[in-house]
Amino acid sequence: MNICMYGASSTDLEQIYYDAAEALGRRIAARGHGLVFGGGAQGLMGAAARGVAACGGRTTGIAPRFFDKPGILYKQCSEFIFTDTMRERKELMENMSDAFVMVPGGIGTYEEFFEILTLKQLGQLNKPIAVFNVKGYYDLLNELLETTVSKGFMKASCLDIFGIFDDADEMLDYIERELESPLDLSHLKNI
């Protein structure tokens, strides 16, 4: 299985976030899975890729050509694919992945997560989606989504199409279980 990871490229974070991402990468590889990611050498993307590589796992980096600058991309990937645009990058990441994990990140990470979540809610894909809630980073996101439901802007069942986890192995267990038995999404949207 290939797990797509969305996450920060920042080099200015607390060490706990890098450590958690690298440990997640190690767990992904130890469980026999590959990593598909945005190709960044720095931040949580780079940490996860180094973790996967340290345990002999497969990494696929995907980035637009304009990111190909010194120190930006993790060139030690098992496979690296260049695209012309960010839109092409996201489409390849989606198509090459069996599941999606969001680790802490900023606006780009949020955008990627919400796009894939929307596609699942609309029944356009049915792949596991998980949020790695390192140090409670996504507690407020969870609260926001629950408020969205309580105010009537989203069906409560939408909260069931992804999981939020503090523990990497519990998150990977969730992903593996959902791959074995995909969710029934027919009740979410009538298009």
Side-chain angles (χ1 to χ4, degrees):
M1 160 177 57
N2 282 325
I3 297 174
C4 179
M5 192 194 81
Y6 304 130
S9 61
S10 176
T11 58
D12 298 322
L13 308 174
E14 291 179 55
Q15 188 61 40
I16 189 171
Y17 295 110
Y18 304 112
D19 294 345
E22 185 170 341
L24 173 59
R26 290 175 181 273
R27 296 305 306 141
I28 287 170
R31 291 172 82 139
H33 307 310
L35 177 70
V36 174
F37 73 115
Q42 305 300 320
L44 305 192
M45 284 191 285
R50 287 188 294 279
V52 170
C55 292
R58 180 169 173 73
T59 55
T60 302
I62 304 173
R65 179 73 61 193
F66 62 82
F67 279 177
D68 195 10
K69 308 261 190 263
I72 300 295
L73 299 176
Y74 183 74
K75 296 289 183 89
Q76 297 81 19
C77 289
S78 309
E79 176 182 23
F80 207 101
I81 301 169
F82 284 104
T83 64
D84 292 325
T85 67
M86 291 290 281
R87 190 173 311 276
E88 290 172 14
R89 173 201 209 188
K90 290 190 305 179
E91 184 176 13
L92 273 174
M93 290 170 75
E94 175 189 328
N95 292 338
M96 295 181 73
S97 301
D98 303 297
F100 303 89
V101 169
M102 178 174 67
V103 301
I107 193 166
T109 302
Y110 303 153
E111 187 269 335
E112 291 167 325
F113 168 74
F114 279 113
E115 179 174 347
I116 212 72
L117 187 65
T118 300
L119 289 172
K120 187 168 184 177
Q121 184 244 351
L122 293 171
Q124 298 303 296
L125 64 76
N126 193 2
K127 299 177 183 182
I129 301 171
V131 175
F132 193 27
N133 192 27
V134 178
K135 199 178 172 185
Y137 184 78
Y138 284 120
D139 287 350
L140 290 175
L141 172 68
N142 191 40
E143 186 179 319
L144 171 67
L145 292 172
E146 289 175 354
T147 298
T148 304
V149 169
S150 71
K151 301 282 185 188
F153 289 93
M154 183 172 77
K155 291 182 180 182
S157 55
C158 291
L159 297 176
D160 298 331
I161 63 173
F162 69 99
I164 299 179
F165 301 90
D166 300 323
D167 180 86
D169 280 310
E170 288 177 13
M171 182 172 65
L172 293 171
D173 289 344
Y174 166 85
I175 288 169
E176 291 167 355
R177 277 193 311 272
E178 189 176 321
L179 276 172
E180 288 178 16
S181 183
L183 297 177
D184 176 8
L185 304 176
S186 61
H187 63 288
L188 292 173
K189 275 286 183 192
N190 295 320
I191 298 177

